[in-house]
Amino acid sequence: RIVPVRWSRYNPSYLEPEAKKESYQKPLEELTEEEREQMELKGVRPIKAAPPTLSSSVFSDPMISKFTNMMMKSGNKVLARSLMSQTLEAIKRKQLEKYHKAPENEKETIECNPYVIFHQALKNCQPIIGLSNITRGGKTYQVPVPLTDNRKRFLAMKWLITECREHKHRRTMMPEKLSQELLLAFNNEGPVIKRKHVLHKMAEANRAYAHFRWW
Amino acid sequence: DRGCALHTAARDGLSSVSSQDIPAQRPRAVFHTSESDPAKHTEQHEGRLYNIPLEEVKAVFPHGLPHRFQQQIQTFNEARVMVRKPALELLSYLKGSNFAHPAVRYVIYGERGTGKTMTLCHVVHYCSKQGWLVVHIPDAHLWVKNCKELLQSSYNKERLDQPLQASVWLKNFKTSNERFLQEIKTQKKYMWGKQESTEEGRPLREVVEQGLARVRSASDAVGVVLREVKQQSHRGSFRLLVAVDGVNALWGRTTLRKEDKSPVSPEELTLVHNLRKMVMNDWSGGAIVTTLSQTGSLFKPSSAYTPQELLGKEGFDALDPFVPIPVSNYSPREFESCYGYYLERRWLQHEKAHTEDGKAELQFLSGSNPRQLDRLAGPL
């Protein structure tokens, strides 16, 4: 795990807090040499304060937390989290209603788990290649460029949120619209997937400028 | 899964088995009971969920079920209510009550989200199955706040009418008590304004139709219906159940204002005035079951749940000899039952929710509170 160090105000001797229950339940004999050293260090060194996003709950999901943080406006995490839980509930209700009405042979094809749908929808929305502005001889060109995993996940989540915020009727609630978009993205339809395809087409069209990239 | 013969046989055979010998193969079957008549519910059925057929739900509960429960009925395609101790206690009191004596008042109280409204609905279902006339007010707080139209009452100059709320209630009352409206006849002539009137001896249905047709006189129609029903209940031709949810609204304050911006007190509203008369124990031949509710209440702190705090001095004195029925959080057995039901209906979809760790976490986070458990299990 990569720990951000550059702007950290902590003394390097401080260790990260450990939230997983399983690591404390292992008996001493099962630990390897490194883990035994780690446990001894933890008894001696000071430990950093736990960030508010760190959770020991079995139901916590880092992707969902990231998405909730991106949905948050002016620090209102309570509202963002309640919207997220209402979205997941809305997805579950819609899928369960479809499930109960479907005939026996189609029941296995219907996915009811909102987390699986969320992860699959985000995966479907991630672009493979991105564009970046490079200035050569006074003119700015859109150059196709590979994207890192983090950047892909960020773009997928950003597109989903902006799509829901802008193209929503004044009276529809955010959880309803988000659940609609997530279900469409899960089936590879919908405006977010279209935006991804548009980006791919632009990158394909600007193939000629690919050699401008120097990294 | 549902069509398996062993499953249904296990369900029926095991429903009479007590919870000590839970079989290892089919633990989920123990949480249901096939007894859908509330009259036959006993301590044996405690902690189990019984099914109400959907047609009965539409007939008995046109209003009155909590919003989350209605959503649950729609998602699962069935209405399952848990049989709990307070409801069984109330049902035993109702079965053993003497209807020649004045009506006994029962007040269901408890902390937020412990199941007071669902207990009330269980009792209402029992009474309508037994053939009682049920006057069910889903939430008295809706009558003392957020009223768009307040008309000055034509019957009494100081009082104020609420046409919208009264007409909505009359419509729902009509759906739930069809046959009584034909049988009960009015005992007095009532004048609605200058031209229209209802003669003596006409069925109550006409009063209700009049209230629905002329919305201006809907509150007066409600008053007439309540008065007739109260006067005729002691004759014994029908039993009357007055079920009020959020009875502390009748004696609190309102957020409504008159046109000169002066605050309205609850006595000045016709609906509240008539309902207060119903809740008095000066009639016989039935029972009054009420619920206290902090959630919709006005100007009351959120930690208040006892009758003394929520009713205030005036309300407590008015309701004074009442039977208090406390409702508390789920016992471990009831929690297991609710958790098993959610698992069976595929409501808990998260992989970790099926494990022991997940169950322990749900129990800890919700504190065995039914509402918190429902809210937590929603996104999972």
Side-chain angles (χ1 to χ4, degrees), chain B residues 260-279:
Chain B
D260 53 354
K261 311 278 186 180
S262 59
V264 173
S265 74
E267 297 88 43
E268 294 174 27
L269 294 167
T270 358
L271 289 173
V272 173
H273 182 89
N274 291 325
L275 199 52
R276 278 195 198 182
K277 285 194 271 182
M278 278 311 271
V279 172

Side-chain angles (χ1 to χ4, degrees), chain A residues 57-58 89 92-93 99 113 115, chain B residues 68 75 347 361 377-378 380:
Chain A
S57 155
V58 294
E89 199 180 325
K92 197 169 32 158
R93 271 193 212 274
Y99 177 88
N113 191 338
Y115 293 85
Chain B
R68 292 264 326 174
T75 314
W347 185 234
E361 191 169 322
L380 284 175

